[in-house]
Each structure stands twice: as C-alpha cells, then as structure tokens.
Amino acid sequence: MKIAILGTRGIPNYYGGFEQFAEFFSVFLAQNGHEVYCYNSHNHKFQEKNFKGVHIIHQHDPEYKYGTFGQFIYDYNCILDSRKRDFDIILQLGYTSNSVWFFLLPKKSIIITNMDGIEWKRSKYNRLVQQFLRFAERLAANSSDYLISDSIGIQTFLKKRYKKDSTYIAYGAHPFTNPDEEILKTYQVEKEKFNMIMARFEPENNFEMVLDGVVKSGETTPILVIGNHATKFGEYLKNKYKNHTNIRFLGAIYNLEHLNNLRYYSNLYFHGHSVGGTNPSLLEAMASKALVLAHNNDFNRGILKENTYYFSNAEEVKKLLLTIKKSDNLQFIQKNFEAIITNFNWEKINGEYLQLFEQCMAGFKNRK
C-alpha cells in the first residue's frame, strides 16, 4: 500500500503523542514493505527526505508566524500536495485544523481519521473556538471513510452524537525495563523521595488542583512539574507557587530515557488529564512502573480501572500525599505494567492499525 500520514508536525517526534505514534507506526509500515510518506513542517528539526525507510515531505508551516491559524495553512498545504501523489490511504491524525479542507482531499484515496479527544471541551478555548471545534469534529466524522477512536469513551461518543461506527485502537507504550539511578543526579532527586506531574500546560490537565493539594499538605517532598511552561497559563502557575521551593518547574523534557527513569524512581506520579481519549503520557507512566494517581474521570478509569487512587479536588490530593507510598502499592504498579504488555504495547497497536488498513483496502475494492 501507498500510505500518507497527515496531521502532525512531523517525525521523528519533537512535540507530542500523535508525532510519537506517527514515528513508530510509519517505521513499522516501511519495515513491512509498504510505501509510506509522512508530512513534516518545513522548519522541523529533521530536514532529511527519508527517516528509517519513511519518505518525508516537508511543507510550509507558518504556525511560528501566525500561531494556531498557521496550522490551518500547513494542513492546507499538506492536503494540496497529497492530491498529486495517488495515495491508497491517507491517515489523518486529529481533525482540528484539517477537516475544513475535507473537500480538497483526493477522491480516490481512502480517508481514515483518528478522532483524537473531544477537543471542544477543552477549557483553554473560548466559546467561539469551541463552536468551531464542534463544527470541525462533525465535518471529520461525516467526511471520513473510516474513523478510529483511541478510547472506548470516544467510540461511544461518536456513536451517540453522529451515529458513526469507529474502530477502537488504543495508543501504545514500550515497557521500560532498564532503570539507571545515576540519571536522578541530573535532577537533584533521590529514589522514591520525589513526586511528579507531567502534561501540557492547559487548565483541564489540573496542574493547579494537584499543586494546590501539595501546598495544602505542607509536604516538603519535591514535586517535579514537567512540560513547556512558556505559556500564559504556565507563567500564572510559576508566579502562584514561586514561594514553594519544593515545586520545581523543569520545562519540557524530550529525552525518553530520562523521563522513563524519573517516572520509574518517583514516589507518586499525578496524572491530571480530564479531557480526551487514551493519553500517551499515562500509558508511558504505567509502562515505567510509576505509581499513578489519576484525576477521576471516565477516560482515566477506562485505562487504569481499579489499579490506582483517584482524586477530584485539592483536598483529595492532599490526603493522598499524606497517606500513600509507592512501596505499599506494588500490586497496582504490576497490574498496570501487565496491562501495557497485554493491551497497550506498540507491536499490538501497529498490527491493529495495519489490519484495519488491509480491511479498508479490501472493502474499498469491493465497493468499487
């Protein structure tokens, strides 16, 4: 098959979950004999035309100049380019800034869209943007040939709201089995004597709820706050907690070995995400044998089930900080790690995507 991947800033990953998936899946496809193309921003750090057998197509991306609006232009450029390449399948990762160009997608290609999370529920967006995102979501749901949901919650939502079937395929993670305690020295922490929270700096990821709980608890144990805090919300949080020296804003860390070791050696790992489907950082924490404490919502419950402690407010975070230790909860850690091996490993996820593509191709030929 000749396959294109759209909707990311490109590979190798320097940004987030979809980019990580695009990297792993595209290389997997290439290794299995398929002709794979991944669209990259023109200013991506990787400027070669081939990455581990995957063809890279750089397209102009003015996000650096126009902010979010630039993503629409980038997706427009990618879709226009795809019209002249005769792809069998175009995999769109997300819909936010590309679904408005659905009428430009090549008619002979099979369009498969991973619907991501329920973007319009994100509190960072004002009402006008939320209305647009609802519109974009509806366009993607109705214009794609096939839909993918990365959580049961999203699958149920699409069926209820749009009467659309979708294939459930989760995100993946690599089991972490080679810890290196020396890495902790880089961050001036000691084994199981620090806590963590890691996410994009957005209100619905509940940084403030967790850090308020830290302050209320009176705990002096360091908590590492990981993510790009060079944002308006990040500046607000840094200013709010500037007098609490145990709250350490480290910025974004893209070194996977470092992240895995920090998660592995942490005492408590707070996962505050409350919107979206299967969150990549949650699976990676499970795969790193972190003791995950999660915000209480259906998306997190769908993954962690009963193998965690849930919180809904700062008081509950405070209570967990004062009563829970990693060493007392090894059964939760082991069950979550086994879930990664059984349900959320990349080999399984990649195989399920490929199987879906083959089924789509067969169905498309029969339809023709």
Side-chain angles (χ1 to χ4, degrees), residues 93 129 291:
L93 299 178
V129 174
L291 176 60

Side-chain angles (χ1 to χ4, degrees), residues 11-23:
I11 65 171
N13 174 36
Y14 290 101
Y15 185 75
F18 269 153
E19 285 75 12
Q20 190 70 79
F21 165 69
E23 178 181 334

Side-chain angles (χ1 to χ4, degrees), residues 103-266:
F103 59 93
L104 293 173
L105 285 161
K107 299 295 186 286
K108 292 183 179 180
S109 301
I110 301 171
I111 309 302
I112 302 175
T113 304
N114 182 314
M115 292 297 287
D116 200 9
I118 307 173
E119 294 298 303
W120 52 266
K121 282 193 174 184
R122 297 190 185 278
S123 56
K124 68 176 181 178
Y125 298 125
N126 61 38
R127 183 173 295 179
L128 186 63
V129 174
Q130 288 177 333
Q131 288 176 344
F132 167 76
L133 290 173
R134 281 197 189 97
F135 170 69
E137 180 183 80
R138 185 170 69 252
L139 285 179
N142 290 321
S143 65
S144 303
D145 294 308
Y146 298 93
L147 303 177
I148 295 173
S149 303
D150 70 5
S151 80
I152 298 298
I154 297 297
Q155 186 183 49
T156 302
F157 169 81
L158 292 172
K159 185 68 173 178
K160 183 177 180 181
R161 190 175 185 89
Y162 301 109
K163 306 296 188 289
K164 293 287 184 179
D165 291 323
S166 61
T167 301
Y168 166 61
I169 307 178
Y171 198 76
H174 288 302
F176 176 61
T177 56
N178 297 300
D180 180 5
E181 197 169 344
E182 284 294 306
I183 287 173
L184 298 183
K185 294 178 181 178
T186 304
Y187 302 94
Q188 298 179 315
V189 290
E190 299 177 39
K191 176 182 176 181
E192 295 183 17
K193 292 184 179 180
F194 67 98
N195 302 318
M196 278 182 69
I197 181 170
M198 186 177 89
R200 289 184 188 171
F201 272 72
E202 296 171 358
E204 63 269 14
N205 289 337
N206 290 299
F207 278 105
E208 194 167 14
M209 180 189 295
V210 171
L211 296 179
D212 279 350
V214 171
V215 173
K216 286 175 178 287
S217 73
E219 270 277 294
T220 58
T221 302
I223 180 165
L224 308 184
V225 185
I226 299 174
N228 178 18
H229 51 66
T231 65
K232 183 177 179 181
F233 185 59
E235 293 301 324
Y236 159 73
L237 291 179
K238 286 188 289 184
N239 184 63
K240 178 174 180 178
Y241 302 110
K242 63 184 178 183
N243 295 324
H244 300 276
T245 56
N246 61 317
I247 299 176
R248 303 181 188 175
F249 290 88
L250 299 188
I253 299 174
Y254 294 110
N255 185 317
L256 192 56
E257 182 186 7
H258 283 213
L259 286 175
N260 283 337
N261 276 283
L262 287 172
R263 289 184 281 235
Y264 181 87
Y265 286 113
S266 64

